[in-house]
């Protein structure tokens, strides 16, 4: 099965949270309510250094995905 790069998720236990799931490496979930990120990958020191520089980009991509999805609901 081929998964989309991003998936929008919610959970009634967290009524204010907006979750975006990133399914490609590095896999993570971000809560757009507070920008908290949960990584599903284990990183070594080399990966962590690269991840620090890319994290802002990943968050922006997740936010752009959310904005695009919400705009499609309004159409």
């Amino acid at each position: 099965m081929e998964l989309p790069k991003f998936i929008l998720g919610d959970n009634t236990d967290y009524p204010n949270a907006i979750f975006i799931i990133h399914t490609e490496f590095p896999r993570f979930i971000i809560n757009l309510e507070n920008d908290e990120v949960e990584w599903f990958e284990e990183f070594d020191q080399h990966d962590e250094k690269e991840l620090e520089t890319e994290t802002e980009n990943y968050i922006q991509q997740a936010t752009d995905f959310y904005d695009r999805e919400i705009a499609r609901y309004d159409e």
Side-chain angles (χ1 to χ4, degrees):
M1 168 175 41
E2 187 173 330
L3 295 174
K5 183 175 182 175
F6 291 103
I7 299 171
L8 182 60
D10 68 354
N11 186 304
T12 57
D13 292 334
Y14 302 90
N16 296 323
I18 301 167
F19 297 106
I20 304 296
I21 301 99
H22 183 255
T23 63
E24 297 177 358
F25 183 84
R27 296 172 301 148
F28 64 88
I29 293 178
I30 182 171
N31 180 349
L32 294 181
E33 176 189 24
N34 57 16
D35 290 338
E36 186 176 337
V37 176
E38 180 72 30
W39 300 97
F40 292 118
E41 312 292 352
E42 296 288 328
F43 301 106
D44 62 22
Q45 288 179 341
H46 178 267
D47 290 336
E48 286 180 13
K49 189 175 284 188
E50 182 177 333
L51 187 63
E52 287 176 16
T53 61
E54 291 297 320
T55 298
E56 186 175 327
N57 185 38
Y58 292 133
I59 291 171
Q60 185 60 53
Q61 288 178 17
T63 302
D64 291 346
F65 165 76
Y66 173 76
D67 291 342
R68 186 192 80 187
E69 291 298 299
I70 294 305
R72 288 179 175 175
Y73 283 116
D74 293 338
E75 292 178 353

